[in-house]
Amino acid sequence: AQSVTQLGSHVSVSEGALVLLRCNYSSSVPPYLFWYVQYPNQGLQLLLKYTTGATLVKGINGFEAEFKKSETSFHLTKPSAHMSDAAEYFCAVRVNDSWGKLQFGAGTQVVVTP
Amino acid sequence: DVKVTQSSRYLVKRTGEKVFLECVQDMDHENMFWYRQDPGLGLRLIYFSYDVKMKEKGDIPEGYSVSREKKERFSLILESASTNQTSMYLCASSLSFFRGRSSYNEQFFGPGTRLTVL
């Protein structure tokens, strides 16, 4: 079975500081991994994804994530936080089936302080 | 621009009412999903559909049913709404494995419906 653990339900960062959101996964098959962002009162939007190939993945809005198989991790980073990064972030892993299902983590709420 | 739309952003219903939540996608996707989102629990899959008239239970199907009569439309039905179904409901769609191969897991989400049951 596949599962995702996001460490920290709430993270507070100062504007301009590094954003680091942690995600660990378990998967019985080579993982496909995703980060989604949810801005207030909106649906989820894909930030980036890892399927195969390069382990450092760049996404939208300056975010990137690195797949580390040995650590079963897919942490999300952004060098310099902006006020507009305040949102909830979800890590997800593909479920091993033919239907395209995803298993989501519980989410991390990011607050950006001036 | 690809789009998943949901019929209502906010909905208030009374206990015992039958509730319909509608979702429409314009991307010709085979797969459609209904999730509920609750604080601290992330997204939990209620039902999904991989083709017209086809449906499968997700992780929390109790108290819900679904209907997919057309490829672009997927409806979630609360037969008799209860207060513990107060939640945010999100619809998503994706390509089938046979069409999308490496991208079939990428799901596109609607804006959500915040349902309150009184």
Side-chain angles (χ1 to χ4, degrees):
Chain A
Q2 289 70 40
S3 68
V4 174
T5 301
Q6 291 184 239
L7 295 175
S9 59
H10 288 79
V11 168
S12 182
V13 297
S14 299
E15 193 175 15
L18 171 73
V19 179
L20 170 61
L21 304 182
R22 300 179 187 275
C23 173
N24 289 90
Y25 70 90
S26 69
S27 178
S28 56
V29 295
Y32 286 8
L33 295 158
F34 304 80
W35 276 101
Y36 283 85
V37 61
Q38 184 181 34
Y39 298 105
N41 298 315
Q42 294 187 27
L44 274 67
Q45 177 183 357
L46 183 68
L47 267 180
L48 50 79
K49 64 181 179 183
Y50 168 81
T51 54
T52 58
T55 56
L56 183 62
V57 181
K58 294 189 184 299
I60 62 171
N61 302 337
F63 284 93
E64 62 183 34
E66 187 171 11
F67 169 62
K68 292 188 176 180
K69 185 178 179 180
S70 61
E71 299 177 9
T72 61
S73 69
F74 190 56
H75 301 333
L76 181 71
T77 60
K78 182 174 179 178
S80 177
H82 192 272
M83 297 299 289
S84 61
D85 295 325
E88 189 157 21
Y89 294 79
F90 293 93
C91 183
V93 64
R94 72 161 174 172
V95 173
N96 184 25
D97 66 12
S98 300
W99 312 125
K101 289 191 291 184
L102 296 176
Q103 185 69 46
F104 285 86
T108 298
Q109 185 72 47
V110 172
V111 173
V112 182
T113 56
Chain B
D1 197 17
V2 296
K3 217 151 188 190
V4 178
T5 57
Q6 295 184 228
S7 51
S8 305
R9 295 300 305 273
Y10 299 92
L11 211 52
V12 179
K13 295 292 182 182
R14 297 220 173 263
T15 302
E17 280 192 79
K18 191 168 186 176
V19 181
F20 293 87
L21 303 183
E22 304 282 340
C23 175
V24 177
Q25 51 94 5
D26 66 359
M27 295 167 281
D28 198 35
H29 284 171
E30 289 76 16
N31 300 330
M32 295 188 76
F33 307 83
W34 274 108
Y35 295 91
R36 67 176 280 175
Q37 180 184 6
D38 300 289
L41 297 178
L43 277 70
R44 294 180 291 168
L45 183 64
I46 305 171
Y47 267 97
F48 70 101
S49 168
Y50 52 92
D51 202 348
V52 175
K53 296 191 186 296
M54 306 304 289
K55 62 186 179 185
E56 293 285 339
K57 293 180 180 179
D59 300 319
I60 52 165
E62 297 78 19
Y64 303 95
S65 62
V66 290
S67 171
R68 194 165 179 203
E69 297 296 319
K70 294 185 177 181
K71 188 176 185 180
E72 67 272 16
R73 188 179 297 269
F74 191 36
S75 302
L76 180 69
I77 303 156
L78 287 66
E79 296 290 342
S80 178
S82 64
T83 55
N84 62 14
Q85 293 178 309
T86 291
S87 186
M88 169 72 94
Y89 290 88
L90 292 165
C91 175
S93 70
S94 70
L95 285 169
S96 78
F97 171 78
F98 304 102
R99 282 182 62 202
R101 294 290 166 168
S102 65
S103 65
Y104 80 108
N105 288 108
E106 181 176 341
Q107 295 184 13
F108 296 83
F109 283 82
T113 296
R114 189 167 292 283
L115 173 67
T116 302
V117 182
L118 302 175

